[in-house]
Amino acid sequence: MPIIRVALNIPIDTLFDYQADDATENDIGSRACVPFGNKRVTGVIIAVTTDTQIATEKLKAVYCIDREINPLPPALLQLFKFCSQYYHYPEGMVILNSLPTKLRNNKPVKLKQSINNYQYDLTEIGKQLDLSSIPARQRIARQLLANFHQIAPLTSAQIKQISPRAQKLVLQWLQLGWISATPIATSVSVDTALQKTIKTPILTIEQEAAVNTITTHLKQFNTWLLQGITGSGKTEVYLNVIAAALACNKQALILVPEISLTPQLESIFRTRFPAIPMVSLHSRLNDTERLASWLQAHRGEARIILGTRLAVFTPLPDLGLIIVDEEHDSSFKQQDGLRYSARDLAIFRARQMNIPVILGSATPSLESYHNALSGRYRSVRLQSRAIKKAALPTVQCIDVRRHKTPEGLSEPLIKAIQQCLSEKHQSLVFINRRGYAPVLLCKSCGWTAICQRCSSRLVVHLRAKKLCCHHCGYEGQFPRACLHCGNQDIAPFGQGTQRVEESLARYLPTARILRIDRDSTRHKNAWQEILHAVHEQQVDILVGTQLLAKGHDFPNLSVVAILNADNSLYSTDFRATERLFAQLIQVSGRAGRANVSGHVLIQTEFPDHPLYRALQAHDYDGWAQNLLAERKIAAFPPYVYQALLCAEAHNRQLALDFLTRAAKLATPPETVTLFDPVPAQMPRLKGLERAHLLVQSASRKQLQAFLSHWYVQINALQSHKVRWILDVDPLEF
Ligand code: ADP
Ligand code: ZN
Ligand code: ZN
């Protein structure tokens, strides 16, 4: 009698056996609906066997096995298993959380009609239609029809480019009989589709060398560290290597750190490969869209898959290439639940499939840089900008001990922006947000407004006249007076994006200023609109935080002003300066990318700090080697491997006690060090007290062996009222 072993979305690290009369080996990787307690739940079949530890009379029967959707491939199941073991997280939760929401429950999935992989042409009725028959306010409908008149047939990709909403119209027009659809046969046409490739720029010598090196090793595993200065044209290298992979009938997976980067890359890819089916997978998709994209990837219909970290778990039958763009970015690491690093899993996946993975960055993480130095990764470099006239920007420090900054902005800085404005170039004001945001301060006693649920300071949102907690989302009114001394002279202190925007507007009343932060980029097409406005020269000055530092291409940008960078120089976080440097290189790299020259101005109290010196010299290597030397002496990563046992409770003592009890259980070998439990850097979050205990070792293997054993022991520990998790290779403390 066949028995299926099923992984369920349950916080217990076990698989569950069920009787399934008709199950075969082919069902491994399929979803199964099974009884659990008095509920019906959905799981994924990991094995089909005939023996079980469960007594026959206790063995329940499966309700059904879903054979509509192809089973998850064995290699992907192996990836889940590795992930579960390495991050010490229940396998069932790893698997189920990687699936689109609609596949996690046992409601039957209605596979919604999708317009993908078809091309569309006007029918005879459609051809009779005249633009004037569509009311002027139906802008998209008119645009779509105009496009049909001019360049039909249209592919789904072209239609989506007109507007995401055009897809709906296509479905309607099909029903009305205005247009007809013919499938694009994907397998036959990769070659012809590739020939449709839009004209490509002539590669620079460096780009060509990079592409050649990587493509001659297309059929084997290598981790390539593509280290290219900002503007060196890494994207062009990606595009050429992707074309080579597509030509071998392979799928390419491209991981990007921020959803805000997807529209720009997506449009570059769609323009370059207009006939290659492509999907993007990120958190802004709704459940239906995500399922549809995921299925296209899983069925092998989509050949290019662009996504944020979760996309690393997408089933891809013909995977032949993985690219991790901006590999140093910390958003590849998930900070709650399963704390995986999508970059590291991408490398695992590439090794498993024996395919190349490219890690691209201007400022690689020290971990990756170290691996390239030691020869574990292969280094490929682009040392000059791709556009000949585009020189790297000049970097200058403005010493704020000598220059007054009445509104947070010094005179030389305002002058530079003014000059830039008069030359009709754009400027960008970057505010380093780490540890810095406008808070409400009492001038007489020094009291600041603090979130009751977290230990963090509340941030002033001037426009909404609200105090907000950026950690837990709490919102409250401005108090009328200081809660501590009653003084009424309380005022916002420090600069957030809004205050800088307001000061700038006072100094430069004619400038068109656009503020970019989490709030202004929340809605779905916000980024597209912002980028459009910037490219159409509708904006003179951009004001924003790290969101702006990511890889956007703003050709007319000349001046970059950096405020408050000093905050990160003397942080307690040992990665703070690594991050600051990367961020400043990124944001500086936005300037002078095409025909305008770039100037970076940094307001600082420490103009001689080695970090700013390295930045002025554009010397990533020197700086990185410096940091590595420091890390080696201090025994920090990448010279040691770390894990954190994190605990949260309503009461700090409970959390600390739990960690102490866990530490007592541990019997680490000499090569593994356990530190004392301490409160986290953010000791209160969302009303919970947080503490952790650091474990480290110079040997990853021994650390892992220790953790596996310890994890079982901690699981057996009475942990009433305490939530705990292991964070392997932690980035935040
Ligand atoms: P990076 O990601 O390395 O910072 P990008 O890929 O954004 O750089 O390229 C920078 C600019 O150089 C872009 O405007 C791109 O179109 C242009 N570019 C890249 N390669 C070439 C090339 N071979 N010839 C001309 N322009 C190029
Ligand atoms: Zn809070
Ligand atoms: Zn006070």
Side-chain angles (χ1 to χ4, degrees):
M1 178 76 71
I3 286 162
I4 54 173
R5 194 150 289 159
V6 182
L8 298 177
N9 194 5
I10 284 167
I12 303 172
D13 207 2
T14 0
L15 301 174
F16 298 86
D17 290 357
Y18 295 90
Q19 196 182 315
D21 298 351
D22 63 340
T24 68
E25 292 273 307
N26 294 337
D27 293 319
I28 295 175
S30 287
R31 294 189 313 146
C33 176
V34 295
F36 188 81
N38 49 11
K39 279 194 274 188
R40 273 171 173 258
V41 297
T42 292
V44 171
I45 302 173
I46 299 298
V48 178
T49 136
T50 48
D51 63 358
T52 173
Q53 311 279 4
I54 313 279
T56 339
E57 64 277 11
K58 283 203 176 156
L59 198 64
K60 294 183 191 158
V62 64
Y63 292 124
C64 60
I65 295 175
D66 175 11
R67 296 188 175 98
E68 285 290 288
I69 297 173
N70 290 339
L72 301 174
L76 193 65
L77 295 178
Q78 263 172 37
L79 174 75
F80 291 135
K81 183 156 192 168
F82 165 78
C83 193
S84 157
Q85 288 170 346
Y86 186 81
Y87 293 106
H88 306 278
Y89 201 76
E91 188 175 351
M93 291 177 76
V94 173
I95 300 178
L96 272 295
N97 287 312
S98 83
L99 295 180
T101 317
K102 293 217 164 187
L103 297 182
R104 287 181 214 167
N105 56 37
N106 42 48
K107 289 200 200 95
V109 285
K110 262 192 273 151
L111 297 183
K112 222 185 99 186
Q113 226 178 332
S114 142
I115 70 159
N116 288 321
N117 304 320
Y118 285 88
Q119 64 179 24
Y120 301 85
D121 209 344
L122 291 171
T123 58
E124 285 312 311
I125 313 173
K127 283 184 189 149
Q128 315 280 320
L129 289 173
D130 179 50
L131 263 191
S132 59
S133 59
I134 299 178
R137 63 193 159 72
Q138 293 181 19
R139 202 172 47 83
I140 295 167
R142 287 173 72 106
Q143 219 176 327
L144 182 63
L145 187 61
N147 269 280
F148 270 119
H149 283 323
Q150 283 156 19
I151 49 170
L154 293 176
T155 65
S156 45
Q158 287 168 320
I159 289 164
K160 279 186 203 162
Q161 270 205 328
I162 295 170
S163 159
R165 273 177 290 166
Q167 300 178 66
K168 234 188 186 155
L169 289 172
V170 165
L171 294 174
Q172 284 169 12
W173 291 7
L174 274 172
Q175 294 217 317
L176 292 169
W178 294 0
I179 54 176
S180 62
T182 40
I184 307 171
T186 51
S187 55
V188 219
S189 62
V190 176
D191 274 346
T192 36
L194 276 176
Q195 277 160 19
K196 279 205 184 173
T197 300
I198 305 298
K199 73 167 169 42
T200 60
I202 299 164
L203 295 182
T204 63
I205 294 171
E206 284 183 329
Q207 284 173 327
E208 194 173 326
V211 171
N212 284 342
T213 314
I214 301 172
T215 49
T216 48
H217 299 92
L218 210 50
K219 300 220 161 97
Q220 70 191 69
F221 167 66
N222 268 304
T223 307
W224 300 97
L225 182 63
L226 176 62
Q227 189 183 336
I229 62 167
T230 55
S232 59
K234 291 184 286 294
T235 318
E236 202 50 52
V237 173
Y238 300 154
L239 288 165
N240 279 273
V241 181
I242 292 168
L246 294 172
C248 300
N249 250 316
K250 294 292 185 187
Q251 290 173 295
L253 171 66
I254 297 98
L255 299 176
V256 293
E258 267 280 336
I259 171 175
S260 68
L261 284 176
T262 52
Q264 196 172 0
L265 262 190
E266 199 175 330
S267 97
I268 292 172
F269 282 38
R270 289 213 195 275
T271 320
R272 182 64 67 86
F273 305 116
I276 301 279
M278 167 175 153
V279 293
S280 50
L281 285 164
H282 52 72
S283 57
R284 294 250 170 116
L285 299 180
N286 66 34
D287 291 349
T288 313
E289 291 166 330
R290 178 179 271 278
L291 175 64
S293 299
W294 185 91
L295 282 170
Q296 284 177 49
H298 182 29
R299 290 196 212 104
E301 292 163 6
R303 307 308 288 181
I304 299 177
I305 296 86
L306 183 64
T308 46
R309 62 174 178 256
L310 188 60
V312 77
F313 295 115
T314 316
L316 298 162
D318 306 318
L319 182 61
L321 171 70
I322 309 180
I323 293 170
V324 184
D325 190 25
E326 310 292 355
E327 69 88 27
H328 63 277
D329 199 294
S330 59
S331 63
F332 285 118
K333 178 95 160 56
Q334 174 135 310
Q335 295 300 353
D336 52 13
L338 171 63
R339 300 193 176 194
Y340 68 99
S341 154
R343 176 195 62 204
D344 296 350
L345 290 180
I347 296 170
F348 177 90
R349 218 174 158 180
R351 181 184 296 119
Q352 183 191 36
M353 308 299 291
N354 198 27
I355 58 168
V357 52
I358 306 176
L359 311 182
S361 177
T363 50
S365 64
L366 286 186
E367 281 80 2
S368 298
Y369 187 69
H370 181 241
N371 278 329
L373 287 181
S374 75
R376 281 186 52 178
Y377 296 174
R378 298 180 68 171
S379 169
V380 179
R381 307 195 51 150
L382 304 174
Q383 323 244 32
S384 48
R385 287 198 151 178
I387 296 176
K388 282 218 176 61
K389 282 190 224 150
L392 279 170
T394 59
V395 179
Q396 188 195 334
C397 287
I398 299 172
D399 187 342
V400 291
R401 292 168 308 183
R402 293 200 293 121
H403 296 277
K404 288 216 172 68
T405 54
E407 301 262 353
L409 305 170
S410 65
E411 199 184 308
L413 195 111
I414 307 264
K415 281 217 168 113
I417 296 177
Q418 210 155 26
Q419 172 75 16
C420 178
L421 192 64
S422 68
E423 284 165 5
K424 303 227 172 337
H425 291 150
Q426 291 166 319
S427 41
L428 186 165
V429 179
F430 173 77
I431 303 158
N432 179 36
R433 249 292 172 62
R434 269 195 184 263
Y436 198 83
V439 295
L440 207 58
L441 177 79
C442 168
K443 297 250 169 75
S444 67
C445 79
W447 169 86
T448 56
I450 285 177
C451 177
Q452 300 299 312
R453 304 169 64 200
C454 311
S455 40
S456 78
R457 296 204 163 93
L458 290 171
V459 175
V460 174
H461 284 237
L462 269 187
R463 215 153 283 168
K465 281 245 176 289
K466 277 206 173 115
L467 290 173
C468 305
C469 174
H470 283 193
H471 291 279
C472 73
Y474 163 88
E475 285 189 7
Q477 300 299 319
F478 276 25
R480 239 174 262 156
C482 168
L483 295 189
H484 185 245
C485 74
N487 172 22
Q488 301 205 344
D489 182 23
I490 49 174
F493 171 79
Q495 275 121 326
T497 46
Q498 290 188 14
R499 280 202 83 201
V500 170
E501 184 188 1
E502 280 163 18
S503 316
L504 280 170
R506 260 195 303 279
Y507 283 116
L508 306 164
T510 58
R512 296 163 302 173
I513 303 173
L514 182 65
R515 178 171 51 86
I516 298 180
D517 55 23
R518 293 271 168 215
D519 297 334
S520 63
T521 55
R522 196 150 291 154
H523 76 264
K524 202 165 178 173
N525 293 320
W527 267 105
Q528 255 148 317
E529 286 160 20
I530 289 167
L531 294 176
H532 182 78
V534 175
H535 283 271
E536 296 297 311
Q537 311 300 325
Q538 294 161 4
V539 177
D540 300 313
I541 306 176
L542 286 158
V543 179
T545 56
Q546 31 277 22
L547 286 176
L548 269 181
K550 313 262 167 157
H552 298 291
D553 202 14
F554 301 134
N556 198 34
L557 188 74
S558 172
V559 168
V560 169
I562 293 168
L563 309 183
N564 313 112
D566 289 351
N567 291 307
S568 300
L569 289 181
Y570 301 101
S571 163
T572 51
D573 178 354
F574 70 87
R575 283 195 177 86
T577 49
E578 177 188 350
R579 288 201 185 117
L580 179 65
F581 188 80
Q583 209 163 65
L584 295 187
I585 287 273
Q586 286 295 331
V587 71
S588 307
R590 299 311 105 212
R593 289 171 75 84
N595 296 323
V596 299
S597 60
H599 306 285
V600 178
L601 298 167
I602 304 171
Q603 283 193 174
T604 171
E605 282 183 47
F606 311 98
D608 293 322
H609 192 284
L611 185 144
Y612 297 134
R613 295 244 168 231
L615 201 67
Q616 280 168 326
H618 303 286
D619 184 15
Y620 167 84
D621 289 90
W623 172 247
Q625 280 159 22
N626 232 333
L627 284 185
L628 279 176
E630 278 177 28
R631 297 265 185 103
K632 191 166 188 173
I633 293 168
F636 279 135
Y639 296 97
V640 295
Y641 300 95
Q642 298 183 322
L644 277 183
L645 175 61
C646 309
E648 288 183 344
H650 283 286
N651 170 317
R652 178 169 306 170
Q653 207 49 46
L654 270 179
L656 288 168
D657 285 349
F658 172 79
L659 295 173
T660 310
R661 281 189 292 139
K664 282 210 181 104
L665 288 179
T667 46
E670 238 170 68
T671 47
V672 174
T673 313
L674 257 73
F675 292 84
D676 288 336
V678 289
Q681 258 177 31
M682 173 62 78
R684 262 172 87 79
L685 191 65
K686 300 181 188 175
L688 290 174
E689 298 282 339
R690 306 158 75 231
H692 60 228
L693 183 163
L694 177 66
V695 189
Q696 81 181 31
S697 171
S699 154
R700 174 172 265 162
K701 217 168 138 195
Q702 301 197 22
L703 178 65
Q704 276 297 330
F706 164 73
L707 290 177
S708 301
H709 185 66
W710 195 35
Y711 175 70
V712 178
Q713 294 176 306
I714 305 172
N715 260 313
L717 202 62
Q718 179 68 261
S719 65
H720 192 52
K721 292 188 184 158
V722 178
R723 262 196 2 209
W724 64 273
I725 191 149
L726 273 175
D727 186 348
V728 179
D729 305 326
L731 287 184
E732 309 274 343
F733 286 82

